[in-house]
Amino acid sequence: MNKNNYLFELFNYRELFNQLVIKDIKLKYRRSYLGYIWSILNPLLMMFVLVIVFSNLFKFDIPNFAVYLLTGQVIFGFIAEATSMAVNSITSNASLLKKTYVPKSIFTIAKVTSSLVNLLFSLVALVLVMIFTQVEPTLNILWFPIVILQVYIFGLGISLILAAMAVFFRDIQYLWGVFISIWMYLTPIIYPVSIIPKEYLWAYQNFNPMYSYVQQFRSVVLEGSSLPIDLLIQGTIWSLVVLVLGILIFKRKQEEFILFI
């Protein structure tokens, strides 16, 4: 199947895609009294805890630490949620895949997209904190969709790889949970980049894609500056490379899924 046919096929199943995204969002808040408000409260509550711990106990000298923390938390939180949900996107839909034909990748894409919707809800929390801490946004904040797009594409690529691997190796979901925790501490979310030793700084900045996305987001939201060109190029390359790799791995393995699910 060539690329155009593949995209056309996904388009033909757009109604199913929409229903899958809506279902994921509803299931997340089912039987919750506060419902979608949790998408705003959750990052806020986590931010309050981390601000108390790291600004008072560890004495990190970061101006407007609350917004600094939340900008990193929102971006990384999307990757953590999207990939963790997507890892079982094929195996959890085994019964449907055995009964009828649908593009298998649609389940993975739907998981990542529903996480994107949750990310957009989380931005409301960020706006509230910015107002409370009197951060004055500039017109450069209009660049933020570019950052979100990069992160979405990057997250989709990783999710396709994980979803395909999890069909053959179910322990991937547990290993990925451990890796996500390690990855979070290797990303400048709760600490400044200045604490990284100089001999490790180049590797830290160039081999962690999340560094690029978090720093871009902070540049336009917190610092009010335009997108750093070097980080934009770096982030775009990471996104496209990982997406292409994810598509290739998924398409190569998808015909074998039915034998293992």
Side-chain angles (χ1 to χ4, degrees):
M1 182 182 296
N2 62 43
K3 180 179 178 182
N4 290 333
N5 288 340
Y6 185 71
L7 294 176
F8 183 72
E9 184 181 42
L10 287 176
F11 179 77
N12 284 339
Y13 283 86
R14 62 189 180 278
E15 290 299 327
L16 173 61
F17 172 78
N18 292 337
Q19 290 302 315
L20 289 171
V21 172
I22 293 171
K23 184 189 74 171
D24 285 338
I25 295 173
K26 287 183 176 180
L27 283 177
K28 182 174 182 179
Y29 302 106
R30 186 175 58 181
R31 298 178 183 175
S32 170
Y33 289 108
L34 294 178
Y36 301 115
I37 296 177
W38 272 116
S39 290
I40 302 172
L41 286 180
N42 187 54
L44 285 177
L45 294 174
M46 183 63 68
M47 180 207 68
F48 287 138
V49 172
L50 294 177
V51 165
I52 292 172
V53 173
F54 287 93
S55 64
N56 293 311
L57 297 183
F58 290 88
K59 303 296 184 182
F60 286 150
D61 187 19
I62 301 176
N64 204 334
F65 183 65
V67 177
Y68 179 91
L69 174 64
L70 196 53
T71 47
Q73 184 183 337
V74 163
I75 295 297
F76 192 89
F78 163 73
I79 289 294
E81 179 184 293
T83 54
S84 297
M85 290 177 59
V87 68
N88 290 321
S89 58
I90 302 301
T91 54
S92 62
N93 288 284
S95 58
L96 178 58
L97 290 171
K98 290 177 180 178
K99 292 177 181 178
T100 184
Y101 174 79
V102 291
K104 299 175 181 64
S105 61
I106 200 170
F107 298 103
T108 305
I109 300 172
K111 294 291 185 184
V112 179
T113 304
S114 64
S115 295
L116 177 64
V117 175
N118 291 329
L119 166 62
L120 298 179
F121 282 130
S122 298
L123 292 179
V124 176
L126 178 58
V127 171
L128 294 176
V129 174
M130 290 176 66
I131 294 173
F132 182 77
T133 57
Q134 298 182 338
V135 174
E136 296 184 6
T138 67
L139 287 177
N140 285 316
I141 201 172
L142 298 177
W143 288 108
F144 89 89
I146 302 298
V147 184
I148 302 300
L149 179 61
Q150 292 176 68
V151 178
Y152 176 81
I153 294 173
F154 178 73
L156 180 57
I158 293 180
S159 296
L160 289 170
I161 295 172
L162 291 173
M165 292 175 62
V167 172
F168 308 99
F169 185 47
R170 302 299 173 91
D171 288 343
I172 284 291
Q173 59 179 315
Y174 307 112
L175 294 173
W176 184 249
V178 174
F179 180 80
I180 278 289
S181 298
I182 297 173
W183 197 1
M184 183 188 73
Y185 290 111
L186 291 176
T187 304
I189 298 173
I190 56 181
Y191 57 82
V193 180
S194 58
I195 71 171
I196 304 299
K198 291 183 179 180
E199 58 267 31
Y200 303 118
L201 187 59
W202 186 88
Y204 180 86
Q205 294 174 331
N206 290 276
F207 291 105
N208 182 0
M210 292 309 300
Y211 169 83
S212 169
Y213 303 132
V214 168
Q215 293 299 91
Q216 286 183 66
F217 195 57
R218 284 182 177 141
S219 293
V220 299
V221 174
L222 179 58
E223 300 170 10
S225 58
S226 61
L227 283 173
I229 298 300
D230 57 335
L231 293 180
L232 175 60
I233 294 173
Q234 184 186 73
T236 301
I237 291 174
W238 271 113
S239 297
L240 296 178
V241 169
V242 172
L243 178 62
V244 170
L245 184 61
I247 292 174
L248 291 176
I249 292 175
F250 194 94
K251 290 182 68 176
R252 176 170 294 185
K253 293 295 183 180
Q254 65 178 348
E255 297 305 324
E256 302 175 35
F257 289 172
I258 197 67
L259 302 175
F260 291 88
I261 57 177

